[in-house]
Amino acid sequence: MEHSGSEQAGRPSGARPRVLVRGAGVAGLVTAVTLAERGADVTLVEIGPRVGSGASWMAGGMLAPWCEAEAAPPEVTRESVDSLDWWDAHVPGVIRNGSLVLAPPRDVGEIARFARRTSHFEMVDGDAIAGLEPDLGGRFGKGLFFPGEGHVDPRAALCALSDRLVDLGGHVRCDAPPDEPDTGYDRVVDCTGIAARSRLSGLRGVRGEMLLLRCPDVTLRRSVRMLHPRIPVYIVPRADHLFMVGATMVESENAGGMTLRSMVELLTAAYVLHPAFGEAEIVESGIGLRPAYPDNMPAVTREGRTVYVNGMYRHGFLLSPARARQAADIVFGAV
Amino acid sequence: MLFYGTELSSRLMLGTAQYPSPEILADAVRAARAGVVTVSLRRESAGLRAGQAFWSMIRDLGVPVLPNTAGCHTVKDAVTTAHMAREVFETDWIKLEVIGESDTLQPDMFALVEAARILSEEGFKVFPYMTEDLVGAERLLQAGCEVLMPWGAPIGSGKGLNNLFGLRALRAHFPDVPLVVDAGIGLPSHAAQAMELGYDAVLINTAVARAGDPAAMAAAFRLAVEAGQIARRADPMEERDMAVPSTPVLGRAVLA
């Protein structure tokens, strides 16, 4: 399907660069919108049937610059502190209630470790946890509250960005052929994630698995991260008592269905958070291959007239605004 | 000490799971000057042989690879995983793990002996992850193992050497068998202690991977292993219950 929001498309290049953006995941959409806001004439093509056909659709949508510092290099935090403002200014429904970090009783020592590696949190006791999340009252005695963090429903956000691009005069075309010709464009920005593996050396897929649960008996106002010695599991509330539970990190490029072990691990985390999740309906299980470079950091690279924005790993929603600015700087020749 | 006829470049074996990124893993392997790296096939493959990108990074580290059967709970699982490991990494070395209990990840010694026998007969060079059980150790040697890898404490617990008596007894009973403390080491001092006991190597993963600075911790472990190894060769003094003055007492004016 094609959307065209303005009649400005066909202008000669120079004054208004014509840019082809490949891949309508979070990196592609954020980059396309950023370019369009800076005056480019943007066409976004996606080989899938809709925007967000790849890993972004399975994302948690956590906007947690300070929590991520636990395992990610300091650049992740530095480059993403204004990410919440970017999302808030661009899509509806950004929830800025902070985020909560808890641990099951046997792993409570992990809280101290998490605290040592992060900042911008408040230590919270059982009463404070109950004040923030009444449904969790009496269940946890200790946790960390990161008041500056938030989350967004990734699927709604991706669709909203697509609409915004069209409003800015851009074009979005899904079901596009993989070899969509780039003739007639001044620049190409490739944001195709793991599909660019053969073109970008060092890029690999890191498998992630997630669940969507519906649980009318539990209400959460913010995302909760459950510390676990092996995988950080988070539970992100969505509208209508839906909860996203994710995500595993497996060094594998197997795109097959979710494994029983992963499902058990994620369900256990939800059940430990609140036993009422025992009655939850399992609405969806999904897997995605996160594109990652060896340092697990996103990179903007250039080859000829193509700019690559890739390697988003776990940080697609958090770091896309900063990487899109970098890509736009290259496209407009500022760098 | 030779491990299946091979002299290792260092007595520190490093696991490759749980690092913040492959790049930090590579930094840690360099800082550790690891003699061997271990890699899990089952955990990272999600059922299919799809961990290729990660595995090729491991091969590119330029350190001998010891694939493991982490996550296996039965003889059949472990044997199948070993076959796959031989194909992927083109090595007949296999660190054999058969887990018997899920809270402690304690090895199932009965299944371990059986799997070790099958794999040894097929030509594998088996490094069995075991409890510090003397009789079990004897059975593993009879099954064809030429290296033993007793745990220090449960995997990932960081509790160090939980049963010093058991580890000493194992060393004393099998003076000529290469012994490696595998699992449970949390600090460099634990690694030094294992080497001081006369162990031939230590295998570390979580203590390095989950440190705030994995490469720095890897360097600390390298130094600790080296210190313990030198100390062992230097023949440590015996422990005593009473003080022993280091200067003679006889001949002093007062003998109080």
Side-chain angles (χ1 to χ4, degrees):
Chain A
M1 85 189 125
E2 173 144 10
H3 306 276
S4 181
S6 97
E7 297 306 312
Q8 293 172 315
R11 273 196 192 175
S13 59
R16 191 161 182 250
R18 300 192 64 198
V19 184
L20 175 67
V21 178
R22 296 186 193 274
V26 64
L29 279 159
V30 173
T31 304
V33 166
T34 302
L35 286 164
E37 284 176 341
R38 285 165 66 164
D41 176 11
V42 178
T43 298
L44 176 62
V45 291
E46 162 62 45
I47 61 167
R50 52 166 165 73
V51 300
S53 296
S56 304
W57 202 249
M58 304 302 160
M62 304 239 300
L63 299 171
W66 294 284
C67 275
E68 287 301 320
E70 184 250 341
E75 303 92 280
V76 169
T77 304
R78 206 161 52 229
E79 293 180 29
S80 64
V81 284
D82 58 356
S83 183
L84 274 99
D85 291 336
W86 192 93
W87 284 103
D88 219 358
H90 286 82
V91 304
V94 175
I95 312 281
R96 306 184 76 158
N97 286 339
S99 71
L100 202 51
V101 174
L102 302 171
R106 64 183 277 175
D107 297 324
V108 83
E110 293 284 314
I111 296 227
R113 176 182 176 276
F114 198 94
R116 281 201 305 276
R117 304 215 179 142
T118 53
S119 63
H120 294 72
F121 59 80
E122 298 159 14
M123 285 275 189
V124 284
D125 61 10
D127 288 345
I129 294 168
L132 290 164
E133 295 290 356
D135 278 5
L136 301 181
R139 298 198 48 74
F140 296 90
K142 192 177 168 191
L144 305 174
F145 176 52
F146 291 76
E149 300 192 332
H151 65 273
V152 64
D153 177 341
R155 297 177 182 184
L158 295 176
C159 294
L161 281 185
S162 174
D163 293 344
R164 189 174 178 103
L165 179 61
V166 171
D167 289 343
L168 288 163
H171 313 265
V172 180
R173 198 162 71 248
C174 294
D175 286 319
D179 52 354
E180 171 78 19
D182 57 12
T183 45
Y185 294 99
D186 301 307
R187 282 266 190 256
V188 179
V189 183
D190 185 315
C191 303
T192 54
I194 195 62
R197 185 174 25 195
S198 59
R199 300 189 288 282
L200 292 171
S201 83
L203 196 70
R204 74 189 195 286
V206 179
R207 180 180 156 102
E209 297 150 295
M210 59 78 86
L211 289 171
L212 214 50
L213 308 178
R214 189 187 308 279
C215 187
D217 299 334
V218 178
T219 301
L220 293 178
R221 300 182 57 235
R222 53 187 59 74
S223 63
V224 177
R225 196 178 291 239
M226 287 290 279
L227 299 187
H228 180 290
R230 211 156 44 74
I231 48 168
V233 183
Y234 44 83
I235 297 163
V236 190
R238 303 260 169 90
D240 303 322
H241 292 280
L242 280 173
F243 295 86
M244 182 274 186
V245 186
T248 58
M249 289 189 286
V250 185
E251 286 287 353
S252 166
E253 296 181 338
N254 173 14
M258 189 170 193
T259 63
L260 183 143
R261 175 176 35 220
S262 295
M263 193 178 285
V264 168
E265 281 177 347
L266 297 182
L267 292 175
T268 303
Y271 189 75
V272 168
L273 184 69
H274 202 299
F277 276 110
E279 301 298 320
E281 175 195 352
I282 300 176
V283 176
E284 185 187 321
S285 75
I287 84 115
L289 294 184
R290 308 176 181 94
Y293 287 112
D295 60 357
N296 288 348
M297 282 295 288
V300 178
T301 53
R302 182 180 169 180
E303 206 179 296
R305 60 194 201 100
T306 300
V307 177
Y308 290 91
V309 183
N310 214 316
M312 287 293 161
Y313 187 50
R314 284 162 48 90
H315 309 303
F317 279 78
L318 203 54
L319 287 182
S320 280
R323 292 309 189 216
R325 277 194 294 272
Q326 247 179 291
D329 287 346
I330 294 175
V331 166
F332 284 93
V335 171
Chain B
M1 186 63 83
L2 299 177
F3 295 77
Y4 287 102
T6 301
E7 184 71 60
L8 301 181
S9 65
S10 104
R11 300 303 180 86
L12 179 52
M13 301 182 173
L14 201 60
T16 56
Q18 301 179 55
Y19 290 79
S21 70
E23 190 175 82
I24 292 174
L25 160 63
D27 291 344
V29 170
R30 275 190 292 272
R33 293 186 203 149
V36 162
V37 291
T38 65
V39 60
S40 157
L41 272 88
R42 186 157 285 268
R43 185 68 74 188
E44 305 297 2
S45 70
L48 290 174
R49 298 173 188 206
Q52 293 296 349
F54 184 69
W55 296 336
S56 71
M57 286 177 183
I58 300 290
R59 279 189 296 257
D60 291 347
L61 293 170
V63 176
V65 175
L66 174 60
N68 71 37
T69 64
C72 291
H73 288 72
T74 65
V75 173
K76 189 180 161 197
D77 274 0
V79 169
T80 310
T81 306
H83 288 161
M84 188 175 139
R86 178 158 64 181
E87 196 179 308
V88 170
F89 291 103
E90 294 169 342
T91 174
D92 50 12
W93 283 18
I94 188 77
K95 183 190 145 189
L96 185 61
E97 272 188 55
V98 188
I99 299 303
E101 205 278 317
S102 57
D103 268 334
T104 56
L105 300 178
Q106 179 169 334
D108 177 338
M109 291 296 284
F110 303 92
L112 186 68
V113 170
E114 176 62 9
R117 187 187 57 74
I118 294 169
L119 291 171
S120 297
E121 281 172 7
E122 291 179 4
F124 280 94
K125 299 183 167 63
V126 178
F127 294 65
Y129 167 58
M130 56 180 288
T131 56
E132 71 285 16
D133 183 286
L134 281 183
V135 182
E138 190 59 57
R139 295 280 186 275
L140 285 165
L141 297 175
Q142 285 165 5
C145 297
E146 295 177 19
V147 173
L148 297 173
M149 310 233 287
W151 66 351
I155 296 171
S157 68
K159 287 194 175 296
L161 309 185
N162 254 4
N163 180 359
L164 279 176
F165 167 76
L167 291 173
R168 267 199 204 104
L170 208 57
R171 179 72 285 175
H173 272 72
F174 303 105
D176 302 321
V177 176
L179 297 180
V180 184
V181 172
D182 176 10
I185 288 180
L187 290 167
S189 52
H190 301 151
Q193 191 183 20
M195 299 306 288
E196 286 159 7
L197 288 182
Y199 275 69
D200 299 292
V202 293
L203 199 163
I204 322 273
N205 190 345
T206 311
V208 171
R210 302 279 286 171
D213 184 342
M217 190 59 86
F221 270 105
R222 164 172 59 82
L223 296 169
V225 167
E226 198 184 329
Q229 207 179 350
I230 295 171
R232 173 72 180 184
R233 280 200 299 261
D235 189 13
M237 62 167 282
E238 289 301 321
E239 212 179 285
R240 301 176 52 103
D241 288 336
M242 295 297 161
V244 181
S246 52
T247 47
V249 183
L250 200 67
R252 279 198 189 171
V254 182
L255 271 176

